[in-house]
Amino acid sequence: MKKIIGLVLFCSGIAAITRLDVTIFADFISLIFVLLTGSSLTLIEYRKNFSRNDLILSIRKNMIFAGWMGLLVGTIYILSDFDQSHLDQEAANFAVALLSVFYGYIVAYLAVFFSQESAE
């Protein structure tokens, strides 16, 4: 029950900081990139003798890594077509690139959160 309250408080904090405009955290492509890359890396690491705990730690590590990879890919993409006359658009593109790191950490936390819930 404490974990659910903590999760609700976390979501409430995000909503309060963004003044309930959570759409700034919504980018489907970044989320898909993190989920596919993190899942692929986890499948590459997976072995028959993986325990449940090993699998969760692998998912956690790979989702965070995938988030950082998304930032690097996004930054390279932005800088490859950088235009100083449109700095406002470039800033918005960089904000989207940062979302992949955010998604990586959120998915990693949720994997641990739900694995502990089902283990109890």
Side-chain angles (χ1 to χ4, degrees):
M1 185 66 174
K2 291 187 297 186
K3 292 177 185 177
I4 300 219
I5 292 172
L7 189 60
V8 168
L9 289 175
F10 171 77
C11 292
S12 300
I14 293 292
I17 289 171
T18 61
R19 296 185 185 115
L20 296 176
D21 184 18
V22 293
T23 58
I24 61 173
F25 290 100
D27 184 59
F28 186 69
I29 294 172
S30 296
L31 180 61
I32 292 299
F33 179 87
V34 169
L35 291 174
L36 286 178
T37 305
S39 299
S40 300
L41 292 171
T42 301
L43 284 173
I44 290 169
E45 280 186 352
Y46 186 77
R47 291 181 296 279
K48 281 187 178 182
N49 59 352
F50 252 30
S51 69
R52 179 184 175 89
N53 190 41
D54 290 338
L55 181 61
I56 297 302
L57 290 175
S58 178
I59 291 170
R60 181 178 177 204
K61 175 187 72 164
N62 289 324
M63 290 300 169
I64 293 170
F65 181 75
W68 285 104
M69 287 300 296
L71 174 63
L72 290 174
V73 168
T75 302
I76 291 168
Y77 182 76
I78 291 166
L79 293 177
S80 69
D81 193 31
F82 190 76
D83 184 6
Q84 284 187 337
S85 63
H86 297 101
L87 287 180
D88 54 340
Q89 183 61 39
E90 301 296 342
N93 291 339
F94 192 69
V96 170
L98 286 170
L99 280 177
S100 63
V101 176
F102 179 74
Y103 290 149
Y105 279 102
I106 293 297
V107 172
Y109 173 77
L110 289 175
V112 172
F113 175 79
F114 286 116
S115 72
Q116 291 173 349
E117 279 292 308
S118 63
E120 292 175 353

